[in-house]
Amino acid sequence: MGELLKQTFRREDIIAQWDGGEFVIGMYGTNSADGLKRVSELLTTVKQEEFSDRHCTSLQVTFSAGVAQALDGSVELQALYQQADTALHQAKAQGRNRVVIAEV
């Protein structure tokens, strides 16, 4: 999954594994609508990919995501993460396998 993230996003974007199975992607110069589009396209790609575990068992992978936007330079990383995390929980509550934009 990490390799797919690297292939999908730009060099100026930041990709990090955050908490166990969570990833955080910082998309420089991207608004929430464009972020939603890019992450939704990644979700479509992931659904079509064939993954396998260490025993070569085929796996289908999906994910849920929350997208948050720093509207100005005054937003702290922790607050931005909280907004995205809240949107992530909304995506999971709505049935998973989807991307939700954080309400600000």
Side-chain angles (χ1 to χ4, degrees), residues 1 10 16 24 30 38 42-43 45-46 57 92:
M1 186 67 180
R10 307 166 299 178
V24 172
T30 303
R38 290 176 64 198
L42 174 62
L43 180 57
T45 300
V46 166
T57 303
K92 289 178 178 180

Side-chain angles (χ1 to χ4, degrees), residues 37-54:
K37 181 180 178 206
R38 290 176 64 198
V39 176
S40 294
E41 288 170 352
L42 174 62
L43 180 57
T44 299
T45 300
V46 166
K47 286 186 215 178
Q48 296 169 355
E49 284 285 320
E50 272 194 44
F51 293 90
S52 59
D53 65 11
R54 61 185 167 171

